[in-house]
Amino acid sequence: MGIINRVEHGLAKAVHGAFAKAFKSEVQPVEIASAIRRAMDDRAALLGHGRAMVPNLYTIELSQTDYDRLGDYEEDLSDDLVAAAQEHADSQGYQPGGPLEVQLVEGEGLETGVFRVRPATAKQAGREPAAREQAPAAPRPQASTGTAVDEAPVHRPAPRSNPSARPWLDIAGDRYPLLGSITTLGRDETADIVIDDPGVSRRHSEIRVTTDGPHLVTSIRDLNSTNGTFVNGDRVSSQRLQDGDRLTIGRTSATFRVGRR
């Protein structure tokens, strides 16, 4: 039996065992584990030497009914989901951006049996969830019962290409590829790149990658942050980025790189 099948088999046993009364026809642990693996595969970014970086924080948003039913088993279920995610990362040669963590939270506007997976990257996991300042830029897609809602808002059709050709940020020697059309930076765990810095706002700034013919154009925009967004020492509201530009938010600095040409 392969790794994925063994994980699903183990979680399926849990469904028919201690979790049977809690889950019934609602969200199943196997569905959540599969959605986390898909999110890993979708966000995998090549680092070289046959390895790829993937997010390490996975926030699972559940309907009130599903969250209430899972409450008594949250710690054990999170541990099982982390183990399943780690096995998938190991089998695929993925390198998580930090310690793997799965958190279950109650989401808004979700029907019973529908859930969202929010992948993010942070060097330090194990933090208490921060209070959220969520203001979705566009309506989220609807899903039928038993389906994970796609995390990406509908206004984010990312221009896909070879990940090694995408622009990226160098933060303290770590590489963070900018794979989507919009990448949010901030302290909140809903940000695409989570920065553990008290001087950074929960949703501090966003980086947009668009196409201009065969070329990629990258710009940064401040999201009304408290301490501002700086490019090469100058505070900006919005600015196009060039290779080697130094970005500063809070006390955190990053270097922008355009990727392979």
Side-chain angles (χ1 to χ4, degrees), residues 51-133:
R51 297 190 65 83
M53 188 180 76
V54 293
N56 63 302
L57 301 181
Y58 296 87
T59 301
I60 312 301
E61 291 191 357
L62 300 161
S63 68
Q64 180 180 354
T65 300
D66 286 315
Y67 184 73
D68 289 344
R69 288 177 177 270
L70 286 166
D72 292 338
Y73 314 104
E74 181 174 355
E75 184 175 350
D76 290 340
L77 180 55
S78 294
D79 289 344
D80 286 345
L81 292 170
V82 167
Q86 187 64 63
E87 284 207 57
H88 185 61
D90 292 343
S91 70
Q92 301 300 315
Y94 293 154
Q95 178 179 319
L100 282 169
E101 181 177 341
V102 177
Q103 296 181 341
L104 306 180
V105 300
E106 184 178 332
E108 297 182 359
L110 295 176
E111 298 179 0
T112 301
V114 180
F115 63 98
R116 269 186 209 110
V117 178
R118 291 183 177 276
T121 301
K123 292 181 182 180
Q124 296 181 356
R127 301 184 307 277
E128 291 294 326
R132 296 191 174 185
E133 295 178 346

Side-chain angles (χ1 to χ4, degrees), residues 13-253:
K13 286 170 61 180
V15 173
H16 296 295
F19 296 131
K21 292 183 179 179
F23 296 120
K24 296 182 180 178
S25 60
E26 285 77 22
V27 169
Q28 303 294 323
V30 171
E31 295 172 339
I32 299 176
S34 296
I36 291 174
R37 293 198 296 270
R38 288 196 300 272
M40 267 194 188
D41 295 339
D42 290 343
R43 295 292 188 97
L46 294 179
L47 294 175
H49 306 293
R51 297 190 65 83
M53 188 180 76
V54 293
N56 63 302
L57 301 181
Y58 296 87
T59 301
I60 312 301
E61 291 191 357
L62 300 161
S63 68
Q64 180 180 354
T65 300
D66 286 315
Y67 184 73
D68 289 344
R69 288 177 177 270
L70 286 166
D72 292 338
Y73 314 104
E74 181 174 355
E75 184 175 350
D76 290 340
L77 180 55
S78 294
D79 289 344
D80 286 345
L81 292 170
V82 167
Q86 187 64 63
E87 284 207 57
H88 185 61
D90 292 343
S91 70
Q92 301 300 315
Y94 293 154
Q95 178 179 319
L100 282 169
E101 181 177 341
V102 177
Q103 296 181 341
L104 306 180
V105 300
E106 184 178 332
E108 297 182 359
L110 295 176
E111 298 179 0
T112 301
V114 180
F115 63 98
R116 269 186 209 110
V117 178
R118 291 183 177 276
T121 301
K123 292 181 182 180
Q124 296 181 356
R127 301 184 307 277
E128 291 294 326
R132 296 191 174 185
E133 295 178 346
Q134 276 185 263
R140 293 187 178 276
Q142 298 298 312
S144 59
T145 301
T147 302
V149 178
D150 187 359
E151 155 60 16
V154 295
H155 74 290
R156 283 197 194 181
R160 296 296 178 182
S161 60
N162 184 344
S164 64
R166 301 285 299 179
W168 52 282
L169 295 182
D170 181 331
I171 303 178
D174 292 330
R175 180 174 179 145
Y176 293 83
L178 306 173
L179 297 180
S181 296
I182 299 177
T183 300
T184 57
L185 290 78
R187 187 162 44 86
D188 194 276
E189 293 183 6
T190 61
D192 295 308
I193 298 178
V194 179
I195 300 177
D196 189 13
D197 180 340
V200 172
S201 297
R202 292 192 174 97
R203 286 174 53 84
H204 195 105
S205 56
E206 67 180 19
I207 296 178
R208 294 174 175 260
V209 181
T210 58
T211 57
D212 181 9
H215 305 291
L216 294 178
V217 177
T218 306
S219 60
I220 189 168
R221 183 169 74 94
D222 185 74
L223 298 177
N224 296 318
S225 65
T226 300
N227 295 320
T229 298
F230 295 80
V231 177
N232 298 324
D234 296 324
R235 186 165 184 164
V236 301
S237 56
S238 179
Q239 181 166 314
R240 183 168 173 173
L241 296 177
Q242 304 293 333
D243 186 54
D245 278 348
R246 180 171 54 86
L247 315 180
T248 304
I249 60 175
R251 294 192 293 271
T252 301
S253 294

